[in-house]
């Protein structure tokens, strides 16, 4: 796997996790059971608020490599 | 691409640095219990007053309690002003465990002690035509609730939380405990309670897209 592809996949994974944890905050009654209780509202809030760093770095590097 | 690499790397390092500081702040253990703070009542755990996030519109204002006045007016027969001591001394007190749910996603549960807002309004002979109660804060923030909700739910104007005097960050001297309403209905640093016939009145966040109803079991976006 090329570094460029690895970077893109990592960004995709973090983006999806951002989406999931976002829904875990606003729709916790759905996401909680769907994740077998793994992602309750408080956990979703914590993960969501901490993901901005990895997301920003990956997005920056991804755009930098591809623009 | 190569021309921008050092700049990209520098930006990434800056982001990682700020992020690391944020992680450290968010994962830091909660501060020790404040002296005298109640953290459990009848088996119900209570969240510390230090757990609430500061999300006021202009920062927490400092209230000079000796000069503080709570104005009750609008569509009432007798507009009245109260000092902090008068509110505490002239009205019955009630305590309730209530959860504040913020649109940001967090919620905190605490024991609030205060005066029913409806008692303040009735002391001023609120007009039978009034439909809405508008709350104004020292920092210019406003919000409103139907008079029927204020009356039926006996919403509290709280001055104590978890057996402590309401801290400045939570709205000292008074916070509206808007049970079952999103956090933007919990007006802090309350200085004015106004009865009104304007049921379409929209407060600070309501005029920016949040629901006027503010019911916590429904989305906060909408009319």
């Amino acid at each position: 796997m090329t570094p460029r592809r690895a970077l893109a996949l990592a960004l995709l994974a973090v983006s999806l996790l951002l989406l999931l944890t976002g829904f875990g905050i606003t729709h916790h009654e759905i996401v909680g059971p769907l994740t077998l209780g793994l992602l309750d509202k408080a956990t979703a809030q914590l993960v969501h608020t901490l993901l901005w760093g990895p997301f920003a770095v990956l997005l920056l590097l991804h755009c930098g490599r591809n623009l | 691409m190569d021309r921008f690499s050092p700049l990209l790397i520098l930006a990434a390092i800056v982001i990682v640095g700020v992020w690391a500081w944020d992680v450290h702040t968010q994962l830091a253990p909660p501060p020790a219990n404040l002296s005298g703070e109640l953290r459990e009542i009848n088996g119900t755990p209570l969240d510390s007053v230090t757990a609430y996030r500061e999300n006021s519109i202009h920062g927490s204002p400092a209230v000079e309690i000796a000069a503080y006045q709570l104005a009750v007016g609008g569509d009432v027969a007798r507009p009245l002003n109260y000092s902090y001591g008068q509110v505490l001394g002239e009205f019955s007190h009630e305590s309730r465990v209530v959860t504040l749910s913020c649109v940001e996603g967090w919620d905190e549960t605490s024991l609030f002690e205060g005066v029913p807002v409806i008692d303040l309004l009735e002391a001023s002979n609120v007009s039978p035509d009034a439909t809405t109660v508008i709350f104004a804060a020292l920092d210019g923030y406003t919000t409103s609730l139907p008079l029927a909700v204020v009356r039926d739910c006996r919403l509290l104007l709280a001055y104590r939380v978890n057996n402590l005097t309401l801290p400045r960050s939570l709205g000292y001297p008074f916070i509206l405990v808007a049970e079952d309403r999103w956090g933007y209905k919990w007006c802090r640093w309350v200085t004015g309670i106004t009865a009104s016939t304007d049921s379409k009145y929209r407060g600070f966040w309501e005029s920016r897209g949040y629901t006027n109803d503010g019911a916590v079991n429904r989305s906060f976006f909408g009319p």
Side-chain angles (χ1 to χ4, degrees), chain B:
Chain B
M1 159 63 199
D2 290 342
R3 198 155 60 93
F4 296 105
S5 286
L7 198 61
L8 277 176
I9 291 166
L10 183 66
I13 290 170
V14 170
I15 291 171
V16 168
V18 176
W19 177 73
W21 175 81
D22 189 35
V23 170
H24 172 74
T25 307
Q26 301 238 20
L27 298 182
N33 278 1
L34 298 177
S35 176
E37 182 179 23
L38 207 57
R39 294 300 306 277
E40 180 269 334
I41 185 164
N42 301 330
T44 304
L46 302 172
D47 293 313
S48 172
V49 296
T50 59
Y52 289 76
R53 295 188 182 205
E54 207 309 45
N55 56 4
S56 56
I57 56 171
H58 298 305
S60 303
V63 172
E64 177 52 58
I65 205 64
Y68 174 82
Q69 291 277 289
L70 174 68
V72 180
D75 286 321
V76 297
R78 286 193 314 146
L80 291 169
N81 283 352
Y82 297 96
S83 68
Y84 180 67
Q86 283 174 314
V87 175
L88 270 60
E90 295 180 12
F91 294 90
S92 65
H93 305 194
E94 293 181 15
S95 293
R96 233 171 278 164
V97 175
V98 185
T99 299
L100 186 160
S101 297
C102 181
V103 298
E104 293 172 351
W106 54 270
D107 45 55
E108 309 292 352
T109 301
S110 298
L111 174 70
F112 291 91
E113 180 182 339
V115 169
V117 176
I118 193 63
D119 290 356
L120 287 157
L121 286 165
E122 286 178 349
S124 286
N125 290 335
V126 61
S127 163
D129 297 331
T131 57
T132 303
V133 184
I134 300 166
F135 297 88
L138 187 67
D139 60 353
Y141 186 82
T142 60
T143 190
S144 65
L145 283 167
L147 177 60
V149 169
V150 171
R151 176 180 285 126
D152 297 346
C153 301
R154 291 186 64 76
L155 298 185
L156 296 179
L157 190 68
Y159 50 83
R160 287 180 78 77
V161 56
N162 291 354
N163 211 32
L164 298 175
T165 299
L166 196 68
R168 176 175 161 182
S169 60
L170 255 182
Y172 177 79
F174 294 114
I175 183 173
L176 173 68
V177 181
E179 282 182 73
D180 301 325
R181 307 280 150 174
W182 288 108
Y184 61 88
K185 293 291 184 184
W186 292 54
C187 189
R188 290 175 283 174
W189 311 287
V190 177
T191 54
I193 299 174
T194 305
S196 171
T197 54
D198 180 10
S199 54
K200 293 195 186 322
Y201 176 86
R202 300 188 79 83
F204 184 87
W205 284 119
E206 293 89 334
S207 62
R208 289 164 172 80
Y210 286 177
T211 61
N212 222 10
D213 173 59
V216 81
N217 57 355
R218 289 193 285 276
S219 169
F220 45 82
F221 287 120

Side-chain angles (χ1 to χ4, degrees), chain A residues 4-36:
Chain A
R4 178 176 296 191
R5 189 171 173 78
L7 196 61
L9 286 173
L11 179 60
L12 178 66
V14 170
S15 302
L16 291 175
L17 194 55
L18 262 179
L19 265 178
L20 180 68
T21 52
F23 281 124
I25 297 168
T26 57
H27 295 79
H28 54 91
E29 68 285 352
I30 299 170
V31 174
L34 272 182
T35 56
L36 305 175

Side-chain angles (χ1 to χ4, degrees), chain A residues 1-11 58 61-62 65-66:
Chain A
M1 186 186 296
T2 63
R4 178 176 296 191
R5 189 171 173 78
L7 196 61
L9 286 173
L11 179 60
L58 288 170
L61 296 178
H62 176 75
R65 286 191 72 92
N66 292 288

